[in-house]
Amino acid sequence: MWEQVVPDPGIPGLGQRMSRAMQCQSCLPWGRWMQLHRFLPGSRGSRSVYLCAASVQGAAGSHFLRKTLHTSGISLPRGCVSYQGGSQERSVQPSTSRHGLSQLRNVASSDAIKKHQKSLSAWFSHQPNEERQFGPSFSLDAVHVDPVIRESSLEEILKPSPDLTIQNQLQQPRSQVISLQNLFDVDACGRQVKNVVLYGTVGTGKSTLIKKMVVDWCHGRLPRFELVIPFSCEDLSHSHAPISLRRLITKKYQHLRDVVPMLGTSNLKVLFILNGLERLNLDFRLAGTELCCDPNEPVPPSAVVVNLLRKYLLPEASIIVTTRPSAVRRIPGKYVGRYAEICGFSDTNLQKLYFQMRLSQPGCNGEDNVGSSSGEQENLVEMLSRNLERHNQIAAACFLPSYCWLVCTTLHFLYFTRTVPPSQTLTGIYTSFLRLNFSGEVLDSTDPTNISMMKYVAKMVGKLAYEGVMSRKTCFSEDDLRQCFEVEMKTESELNLLEVFRSDVFRFFLTPCVQPGKEHTFVFTIPAMQEYLAALYVVLGEKKTLAQRVGKELSEIIGKVSEDVAVVLSIISKVLPLRFLPVLFNLLKIFPRYFSRLSGKDRDAIAHTMAEELFKEEDYYNDDVLDQINFSILGVEGPMRHPDEVPDDEVFELFPIFMGGILSRRNRAILEQLGCSIKNLAAFEIAKAMKKTVIRNSRKGLPPSELMDYLFFLHEFQNERFTAEAIRSLRTVNLSSVKMTPLKCSVLASVMGTTCHEVEELNLSSCNLDTSSLRILFPVLLRCKALHLQLNSLGSDACKEIRDLLLHDKCVVSNLRLANNPVGEQGAQYLAEALAGNHSLTYLSLLHTALGDRGAEVIAQHLAKNQHLQELNLGYNSLTDTAALRVVEVAKKHTTLDKVHLYFNDISEDGKRALHSLRMDQDGVRALVLLTAGTDVSEYWSNILNVVQKNLPFWDRERVRQHLALILQDLESSRRQTANPWRKAKFLRVESEVKKMLGKLQHGTL
């Protein structure tokens, strides 16, 4: 580097001595030319003098420089002499003045660094939108767990062990594990480490670790360095304009304007962070990147990085580089002091700690009831820990911190979603997960195609996933992988891309199977990821034959050419009016039009595939997809499957749901950022084709779990117009025995809320409903004529919600069944208030709801105010004679009530006779107490026995046996009292049914 000095013009022979000094540049490769501004006393003019401060070690270099200056009459302070890449520019001033100026600079730089720390902390502590679901208290400091870092070597990187997988990283020697704080310690030879290369595959946590490192420095937890300057290599790759290092720093961090001049001239301990080096094309050859040691010299950003790593620019600075494995070799080994590999959470204890910290955050579930929510969170963490301890496939997946994030986010979605509509979709979670890991990522920055990593994954891994879904296969051999990935490799570029994919991305999606006997096969890291990628492969239109691909390319080419040809032909036709020109022009348009029709058929095929997979009859009686996801993460409680036991058939019910979810506008926008474009027209045409297939198939009677999957599909599709049309065709919704979690209730309320039509019947019996569930479903319940809520453990608080429902002016509920719920006396009070003000209810079943006499009395008091009820079931409620007679007496005066069920209550023989005397022909009320009606069989005997048989699994069997024995005695007594042979035959038939039921009850087969 050349710089001018202004010496005394009268120094004799100085030019010759400087000429000899300049000649030494050729033999001093690391030499540097320094400019010394000094005006000698008595000078009349100025002349330029050039001095060479050669990189000669020790006293030799100092002697050379001082001798040259001494012969010229120039004195130089000892501090001005520097060696090997120093960039000092110090003026010779009196020590007192220099000390005062140094203090002022130190104060200014200290304030600037504090501002820099505050700015970095605010920026690097900022979390993506996907993290906001975990509550306001969530922060990087609160939930970060450092991954395992293992010291490596260039030889190991270039020649990796074929058995080196995420699973066996625990088997690596403990001596190779190194902490983040010790990365810059001296190496095995005692040399100080200045450059560190930190590498890892996609998803191991490189970026998060760097963010935590910066935040730690901002908070004083990284005292080794006084200044940290992070750079994004992706950001640097977008600019090729020359820029100096100092300008580059101040451009990114304006607070450092007072600090930058001190770089290279002070003992400031600086750390440069270069994140994502694979995005830069670095050339360490001297012919490719010239040497530069001046922080003020403008050079391309890649040249700045190269000279920093060469230690030619700011040699005293420390540098940490993060990169993917394929790009490690871009930095020559002589410039790297230490290689370190991020191995993720290769210890299940780290996984448990991560889940404990993230899922136990206050406010994670968005509820105000801290006590109950914390208990649910602790239970969730405990179940997840037990599943990890079983060494299931989920434990292998969670070696990658990214998948730990996905597991936590999925569990949060499954357990803590209570808003209507739900704040997100399952497809959106997986799409956002891919954006967090692949946003802006190019597979290989040196490849001219510049293909996005996600596009390559969708094409290659998506094909493997789709073939597995179609063949119902989740385990893949090496031959399967080779046939899928390598069969179409024809060029050197394609093979290079495949090599980069195998090195950097393969383990993110595929991992060795941990099941006994399948150790040499691969499975998708998370089972649902196979279905997502298969859906993406289909929706993107990658599932094409060779003829379809060639036809598409020809159509695009001919379509573009025809526009130019049209202009040319229009000009020629004016000069030469040949008749064949219009015909030729029309022929050019035929092929694109024909291919557009074929493309339309492809979209029909996508819709057909979606409908076919969504309504597969062999999957009708599986658990719904949300329960399947829950089981895959938390495991199934109970004994583990024996290795020799035949496994269940693989199910892929998420595949069509993900196809619909990917077509939603939000997910298409995210995929567009990842390089996977799905046009609006394509999505519109697929939705149009789905109306002919999906909606038509949904009109068939679907089992409850399959219907829940269909509703979840409509939620994931996020097309309100399509959903409204689909829901209008559903007049009866039967979700009996589906475990209705808050999420499923939110999905049901959201989907049903797209229309305002009345629902004939909604069956939510045995669905684990609670008060919060009723609150979520309130708008849907208002529109249901027949509402089945039996077997749901609905107590008094839930009855309060039901009271508000029945008193609502838009309520249309006419048939309400609350059998086998712990309603109790307080619940009866709420229901009685509802009866008094309701105008739609005609049937109310309170069978086996623990009312007792006081509950029945409360209902009887308010029953007179009701003018519409026609039938009331108070069976199996421990009512005695007084309460039963009180209810029937009130019912006698009711204008519409004509049937009251009182069987299986504690009514004495006198009470039964009193109730029997109140028959329909006397008071207009039929009280169903026994299977007999005097000397005849009750016309409702089959109804009573059916009710007993349906509810027997939920009732006290000993008490039922006693009641059946009493019923049998009553039947035998009534049969003996009648002389009519026809009636005797009817009694014998009913007796045989009761005896059969008693026999099954005693043998435990009922």
Side-chain angles (χ1 to χ4, degrees), residues 664-675:
S664 71
R665 181 173 299 177
R666 179 178 180 274
N667 288 320
R668 284 190 286 118
I670 296 176
L671 289 170
E672 180 76 28
Q673 301 172 14
L674 298 176

Side-chain angles (χ1 to χ4, degrees), residues 5-6 16 23 51 58 111 128 182 360 385 435 459 545 560 562 572 581 653 674 824 839 862 906 956 991:
V5 222
V6 185
Q16 295 178 0
Q23 291 174 3
L51 300 181
D111 292 340
N182 299 329
S360 300
S385 298
R435 177 175 63 179
K459 180 179 179 181
T545 62
K560 293 177 181 179
S562 63
I572 295 176
L581 290 178
E653 295 182 84
L674 298 176
H839 301 287
H862 291 76
D906 299 334
D956 182 359
E991 287 175 29

Side-chain angles (χ1 to χ4, degrees), residues 784-994:
C784 299
K785 294 182 178 179
L787 186 56
H788 299 257
L789 298 177
Q790 57 266 37
L791 297 165
N792 276 299
S793 301
L794 299 177
S796 58
D797 291 338
C799 291
K800 189 176 181 181
E801 294 294 325
I802 295 173
R803 178 199 64 183
D804 297 340
L805 172 73
L806 294 175
L807 293 177
H808 198 280
D809 56 353
K810 294 183 179 180
C811 178
V812 298
V813 178
S814 60
N815 186 326
L816 178 60
R817 298 176 184 269
L818 291 171
N820 299 296
N821 284 297
V823 172
E825 180 183 342
Q826 183 59 50
Q829 176 68 41
Y830 292 132
L831 294 178
E833 294 173 7
L835 280 175
N838 178 265
H839 301 287
S840 62
L841 199 63
T842 59
Y843 176 86
L844 176 62
S845 174
L846 296 175
L847 175 70
H848 192 223
T849 51
L851 297 180
D853 285 349
R854 298 186 63 181
E857 285 284 349
V858 170
I859 290 177
Q861 291 173 9
H862 291 76
L863 194 58
K865 300 178 182 178
N866 182 280
Q867 302 297 323
H868 299 86
L869 193 65
Q870 299 176 7
E871 188 171 351
L872 177 64
N873 191 336
L874 299 178
Y876 203 167
N877 273 296
S878 302
L879 304 187
T880 59
D881 297 357
T882 305
L885 289 170
R886 170 67 175 150
V887 171
V888 174
E889 287 173 358
V890 173
K892 286 195 313 180
K893 304 174 183 178
H894 200 281
T895 57
T896 57
L897 184 61
D898 66 346
K899 192 183 299 181
V900 179
H901 300 250
L902 294 172
Y903 40 82
F904 276 40
N905 280 303
D906 299 334
I907 302 174
S908 65
E909 290 298 326
D910 294 337
K912 292 175 184 178
R913 284 191 291 269
L915 291 172
H916 177 66
S917 64
L918 302 175
R919 299 189 60 182
M920 182 178 178
D921 55 347
Q922 299 172 358
D923 51 41
V925 174
R926 287 171 287 185
L928 308 184
V929 183
L930 295 173
L931 301 187
T932 59
T935 58
D936 197 359
V937 176
S938 172
E939 59 180 311
Y940 301 103
W941 71 268
S942 60
N943 294 343
I944 297 175
L945 290 183
N946 284 336
V947 170
V948 173
Q949 190 164 357
K950 288 179 181 178
N951 292 278
L952 191 58
F954 318 103
W955 289 356
D956 182 359
R957 291 185 171 240
E958 179 59 27
R959 185 173 179 183
V960 172
R961 190 190 63 78
Q962 294 174 3
H963 278 286
L964 288 177
L966 292 174
I967 288 175
L968 184 60
Q969 292 178 9
D970 185 67
L971 286 170
E972 292 174 347
S973 175
S974 298
R975 175 170 52 84
R976 287 192 294 268
Q977 294 176 15
T978 182
N980 189 324
W982 175 247
R983 290 183 178 177
K984 285 183 178 290
K986 289 173 63 178
F987 275 116
L988 289 173
R989 179 189 173 191
V990 177
E991 287 175 29
S992 66
E993 292 291 336
V994 175

Side-chain angles (χ1 to χ4, degrees), residues 146-210:
D146 285 334
V148 173
I149 303 175
R150 187 177 60 85
E151 190 167 3
S152 181
S153 64
L154 186 60
E155 292 77 15
E156 185 178 327
I157 299 169
L158 296 178
K159 296 180 180 180
S161 169
D163 297 328
L164 184 60
T165 60
I166 298 175
Q167 283 81 346
N168 61 26
Q169 285 180 2
L170 278 175
Q171 301 174 6
Q172 299 297 322
R174 275 298 191 183
S175 60
Q176 294 182 352
V177 176
I178 186 171
S179 66
L180 185 66
Q181 289 75 16
N182 299 329
L183 287 176
F184 290 94
D185 290 351
V186 295
D187 61 10
C189 300
R191 293 172 299 193
Q192 183 64 44
V193 173
K194 286 292 185 181
N195 292 349
V196 174
V197 172
L198 192 63
Y199 70 94
T201 59
V202 175
T204 50
K206 300 184 295 295
S207 299
T208 304
L209 187 66
I210 291 301

Side-chain angles (χ1 to χ4, degrees), residues 724 727-728 731 751-759 779 783 810:
I727 290 299
R728 286 192 193 97
R731 292 293 176 179
V751 171
M752 298 294 291
T754 57
T755 66
C756 298
H757 77 284
E758 294 183 358
V759 180
R783 296 156 38 201
K810 294 183 179 180

Side-chain angles (χ1 to χ4, degrees), residues 321-395:
V321 173
T322 67
T323 185
R324 302 199 302 258
S326 64
V328 170
R329 64 193 73 182
R330 296 184 188 178
I331 307 176
K334 63 182 179 180
Y335 299 125
V336 180
R338 173 171 284 124
Y339 292 95
E341 180 186 10
I342 302 182
C343 303
F345 296 153
S346 55
D347 187 345
T348 53
N349 290 324
L350 293 178
Q351 301 173 17
K352 292 179 183 178
L353 179 60
Y354 180 91
F355 293 132
Q356 176 72 32
M357 296 176 67
R358 184 173 285 261
L359 291 175
S360 300
Q361 285 294 301
C364 174
N365 61 356
E367 283 191 343
D368 297 330
N369 192 348
V370 179
S372 62
S373 64
S374 62
E376 187 176 8
Q377 290 169 289
E378 291 175 2
N379 184 47
L380 203 59
V381 173
E382 179 63 26
M383 292 174 65
L384 185 56
S385 298
R386 285 202 299 266
N387 199 26
L388 291 173
E389 291 170 358
R390 296 175 182 174
H391 302 288
N392 285 339
Q393 199 67 49
I394 185 70

Side-chain angles (χ1 to χ4, degrees), residues 380-427:
L380 203 59
V381 173
E382 179 63 26
M383 292 174 65
L384 185 56
S385 298
R386 285 202 299 266
N387 199 26
L388 291 173
E389 291 170 358
R390 296 175 182 174
H391 302 288
N392 285 339
Q393 199 67 49
I394 185 70
C398 289
F399 281 121
L400 292 175
S402 292
Y403 277 97
C404 291
W405 180 92
L406 180 61
V407 168
C408 285
T409 307
T410 305
L411 286 176
H412 190 276
F413 174 67
L414 292 176
Y415 281 87
F416 303 129
T417 299
R418 290 175 171 83
T419 59
V420 180
S423 57
Q424 56 186 333
T425 64
L426 185 66
T427 314

